[in-house]
Amino acid sequence: MITVHHLEDSRSQRVLWLLEELELPYEVRHYKRDPRTMLAPAELRKVHPLGKSPLITDDDRTVAETGLIIDYIVETHGNGRLAPPRGSDQRMNYDYWLHYAEGSAMPPLLLHLVFDTVEKRAPFLIRPIAKAISMNVKKQFIWPQLNLHMDYIEHKLRQKEWFVDHHFTAADIMMSFPLEAACARVDLQARCPNITAFLKRIHERPAYQRALEAGGPYAYA
């Protein structure tokens, strides 16, 4: 039995969604964030030394990192579903998006969140300075990078419903989080109709909705 160690408002929502798509049995152990720091609780360190989510345990095996978890579940329990055959061109494309989601798409979004936090939590007397520095970093680096990646993804989704060869795969599940996070921070509807349509499609999937019921609503800001 797979156990998902699910931290509220976290990337482990994708793991629940994958399990629902594959119709695999699982259980969820819920963890609350510290209301002051918004970090994961110390209890997660009992599962993995870093105390981060997502994490799964599958009998006596512990697996961390979203991409590896997705790959592990698909390879171990997927029975050939939601991934192209190994050695195919489609599999290379699939592996690319599986790694791109966290390796390239997420860093500017994470930086955006960090600098938003700096603006909000800086001491009152230095808050104008902190905000000025934050805005400068956003204008010079973060927003151009976000635009670069959103334009790239928007182009890749042109005339395609999914990221890999017109078929829904686990790569689409991996890509959901950075795109939902981007949508929460910038207005993509007018500028990126293909990304907006992709998000609408995934939100309509019954397995996505069941995962929300299992994990609870989550936010990106």
Side-chain angles (χ1 to χ4, degrees):
M1 170 74 75
I2 294 174
T3 299
V4 181
H5 299 270
H6 178 62
L7 179 65
E8 62 179 346
D9 294 341
S10 78
R11 305 175 197 190
S12 57
Q13 190 66 38
R14 287 177 292 187
V15 179
L16 298 175
W17 178 18
L18 173 65
L19 291 166
E20 289 290 348
E21 289 284 356
L22 292 172
E23 299 180 304
L24 296 173
Y26 66 92
E27 64 175 351
V28 184
R29 292 185 187 170
H30 292 271
Y31 299 83
K32 293 286 188 181
R33 292 182 182 273
D34 184 298
R36 183 179 61 85
T37 65
M38 296 306 295
L39 298 177
E43 290 92 324
L44 270 174
R45 292 196 184 94
K46 298 176 183 177
V47 186
H48 188 279
L50 292 179
K52 304 288 186 180
S53 179
L55 287 168
I56 67 166
T57 48
D58 187 12
D59 294 328
D60 59 350
R61 178 175 287 164
T62 300
V63 187
E65 296 295 336
T66 312
L68 179 59
I69 292 170
I70 297 292
D71 194 41
Y72 170 80
I73 291 172
V74 168
E75 290 297 307
T76 307
H77 300 286
N79 294 320
R81 293 172 291 171
L82 298 187
R86 287 197 176 275
S88 66
D89 290 341
Q90 292 86 356
R91 184 58 180 240
M92 179 70 74
N93 194 27
Y94 166 88
D95 287 339
Y96 170 78
W97 291 111
L98 211 65
H99 291 280
Y100 170 87
E102 292 292 322
S104 294
M106 276 306 300
L109 290 162
L110 180 58
L111 283 173
H112 198 292
L113 176 61
V114 168
F115 280 93
D116 279 350
T117 304
V118 168
E119 292 179 26
K120 294 174 183 176
R121 299 192 179 186
F124 179 76
L125 291 178
I126 66 168
R127 192 168 298 165
I129 299 173
K131 188 171 183 178
I133 294 172
S134 174
M135 289 300 295
N136 188 53
V137 173
K138 287 178 181 178
K139 289 178 180 178
Q140 295 296 322
F141 178 74
I142 297 175
W143 290 339
Q145 282 296 307
L146 277 176
N147 291 335
L148 175 68
H149 285 284
M150 292 306 107
D151 289 346
Y152 172 66
I153 295 167
E154 175 70 10
H155 177 75
K156 288 296 182 179
L157 286 173
R158 187 179 58 181
Q159 298 178 342
K160 289 173 56 178
E161 289 192 347
W162 309 112
F163 281 94
V164 181
D165 197 32
H166 302 283
H167 298 292
F168 177 80
T169 68
D172 298 294
I173 295 176
M174 275 297 293
M175 285 298 299
S176 67
F177 192 92
L179 294 181
E180 288 178 313
C183 190
R185 289 172 174 79
V186 295
D187 183 11
L188 295 179
Q189 190 165 359
R191 179 180 172 182
C192 299
N194 296 327
I195 292 176
T196 302
F198 170 83
L199 292 175
K200 184 175 185 293
R201 284 192 294 275
I202 66 172
H203 293 162
E204 290 173 347
R205 294 184 71 85
Y208 181 96
Q209 296 170 17
R210 292 195 302 270
L212 279 182
E213 293 176 5
Y218 62 112
Y220 305 92

